[in-house]
Amino acid sequence: MSPKRILVIDDEPDVVMTLAMRLKVNGYEIISAADGEEGLEKAKSGNPDLIICDWVLPKLDGCEVCKRLKQDPAYSKIPIILCTAKAEEKDKDLAKESGAEAYVTKPYDAKNLLSIMRDLIEKSAS
Amino acid sequence: MKKEFLSTASHELLDGLNSIHSSVEIVADGTLGELNDRQKNFLDRSMSAIRKLGTLMRDLSEYQKLEADLIPFKTERVGLNDLVAQAVKRFEPEAAAKGLTLACEMAEESFVNADGAKISSVLDRLLRNAIAFGKNSVTIRKIEQKGLVGVSIRDKGCGIHPDNLPKLFHPFPKIGDKTHGGSGLGLSLSRLIVEKMGGRTGIESVEGEGTTVYFLLPKT
């Protein structure tokens, strides 16, 4: 079975690098984007199985990336995990409204993130 | 302008800290290769300091927003028993790891006009403190006073000197013990949240016997 491909959209190179390393060790293939517009483009061209998207991004924020993908029937089924250093309830509500399948706060709890990823990829495949 | 500046500054600080967190963590947890005990010990210390800084930054940001009335409250009729039961469930593993039992004595359900999520955040902070400083058991009890109803949390820790009690609901009370890893803002944040919902907080303590912290909210 070919490895699942994860698109990481984040403008912090250190976060992308460490997340990419962790995901590679766990058998995933990684593609990345450093802003919302590039993220949207790679979500459409890169054929990812799941997207991990930061909230605060240059050009287009994570919620908007999420909304646009969920409105497009060709890409609406790709599960999205929205991530942010924000941790307020109103943000959780906004994340839900954007259509993201999961919302996690930074810093990532690696075990929790991997478990959410596995669940979402399994669900989307069934 | 000032509000936006502070909000952006705190977000930038957290972003930077998250970068440090992810870099140190991936080495500390052995993902990049096995560590010897001394290396692991120093990286674990770094991780613990990073987590503490993160909590402090988030608490500072919340405190500033609460004081400036920038955090909305969704006030509705909520039952205290449910919120307490959920909080106890969240903290049972942490209490058990410290050899503590959580005793819940809430009796029949009481309803308050408040924001349920905010009450939960107060319960979390008070329980975390009680577990950090307590011994043997922590008791969570329903209390009532003149049209108000609330929850008290009693620990059997070493207690607090009477001179220090009035300082506790203020930011950074500095009364000694820095080992429990709190931000120094937990009780003052709890007081602010409860007062914004029309309630009040209090603390009673006997040195050598333990401490009871409580909050009361308007009954529906």
Side-chain angles (χ1 to χ4, degrees):
Chain A
M1 202 170 68
S2 61
K4 298 291 179 190
R5 183 178 297 169
I6 312 298
L7 168 61
V8 178
I9 313 174
D10 200 309
D11 60 331
E12 282 288 331
D14 293 342
V15 172
V16 176
M17 187 181 72
T18 49
L19 189 56
M21 270 186 204
R22 192 177 289 287
L23 297 182
K24 274 181 196 162
V25 167
N26 283 276
Y28 293 103
E29 186 185 308
I30 312 301
I31 48 173
S32 68
D35 64 60
E37 278 178 11
E38 189 191 354
L40 204 55
E41 193 188 299
K42 288 204 174 161
K44 294 178 179 180
S45 63
N47 198 24
D49 294 288
L50 181 137
I51 299 170
I52 299 175
C53 184
D54 191 22
W55 185 313
V56 180
L57 288 169
K59 295 183 185 173
L60 204 62
D61 73 37
C63 268
E64 196 54 37
V65 170
C66 205
K67 273 184 200 163
R68 292 195 192 180
L69 289 171
K70 294 299 171 191
Q71 279 162 7
D72 189 331
Y75 309 102
S76 64
K77 292 214 163 49
I78 307 171
I80 302 177
I81 303 176
L82 200 56
C83 306
T84 179
K86 299 175 170 197
E88 291 167 20
E89 293 139 47
K90 69 175 167 55
D91 298 321
K92 285 179 195 163
D93 292 343
L94 286 174
K96 264 187 206 161
E97 282 167 26
S98 74
E101 276 75 6
Y103 170 81
V104 298
T105 50
K106 285 179 170 180
Y108 301 112
D109 172 338
K111 271 188 196 159
N112 181 44
L113 183 67
L114 286 166
S115 143
I116 294 172
M117 286 173 63
R118 268 193 300 272
D119 288 352
L120 290 178
I121 289 173
E122 261 175 41
K123 258 188 215 165
S124 73
S126 62
Chain B
M1 186 68 186
K2 189 185 167 197
K3 287 170 194 168
E4 200 177 319
F5 171 80
L6 285 172
S7 166
T8 308
S10 74
H11 194 267
E12 292 292 323
L13 281 168
L14 272 174
D15 259 355
L17 191 70
N18 284 333
S19 288
I20 300 172
H21 180 281
S22 54
S23 300
V24 176
E25 187 187 40
I26 201 163
V27 181
D29 68 12
T31 301
L32 300 184
E34 211 174 307
L35 299 167
N36 67 38
D37 287 347
R38 282 184 71 202
Q39 289 167 330
K40 193 166 169 11
N41 180 274
F42 276 97
L43 287 172
D44 284 346
R45 282 164 185 262
S46 303
M47 281 304 293
S48 151
I50 291 165
R51 281 195 200 100
K52 194 174 168 186
L53 259 182
T55 307
L56 174 61
M57 284 183 197
R58 275 182 283 274
D59 282 359
L60 270 174
S61 164
E62 191 180 351
Y63 193 89
Q64 174 255 327
K65 284 178 187 164
L66 272 167
E67 276 207 312
D69 283 322
L70 291 174
I71 297 185
F73 281 71
K74 284 186 246 167
T75 304
E76 55 194 351
R77 186 175 188 259
V78 285
L80 283 177
N81 281 18
D82 260 2
L83 298 176
V84 168
Q86 288 163 18
V88 167
K89 204 171 168 190
R90 278 195 294 278
F91 280 90
E92 258 163 2
E94 202 174 316
K98 250 201 96 183
L100 285 164
T101 53
L102 299 180
C104 196
E105 298 172 5
M106 289 297 288
E108 76 277 9
E109 180 66 294
S110 293
F111 293 91
V112 290
N113 258 333
D115 182 324
K118 301 283 191 307
I119 299 177
S120 291
S121 78
V122 170
L123 282 168
D124 286 0
R125 289 181 195 283
L126 301 187
L127 274 171
R128 194 172 292 126
N129 271 353
I131 291 168
F133 294 108
K135 287 177 199 154
N136 305 322
S137 67
V138 170
T139 308
I140 304 112
R141 196 169 282 156
K142 190 173 85 168
I143 51 167
E144 291 196 65
Q145 267 179 35
K146 295 176 196 161
L148 301 170
V149 64
V151 180
S152 74
I153 295 175
R154 181 174 193 270
D155 70 58
K156 290 180 182 166
C158 59
I160 298 154
H161 191 278
D163 289 351
N164 287 328
L165 281 179
K167 298 177 193 166
L168 283 168
F169 281 103
H170 295 286
F172 309 115
K174 286 194 180 133
I175 58 163
D177 191 353
K178 284 187 88 178
T179 56
H180 73 291
S183 69
L185 286 168
L187 281 177
S188 53
L189 269 171
S190 301
R191 176 181 58 84
L192 260 181
I193 292 169
V194 169
E195 286 177 359
K196 297 268 175 203
M197 295 190 287
R200 61 184 178 83
T201 47
I203 187 162
E204 290 159 6
S205 188
V206 179
E207 273 191 294
E209 288 184 22
T211 304
T212 303
V213 185
Y214 62 87
F215 66 86
L216 289 154
L217 290 161
K219 258 187 191 174
T220 55

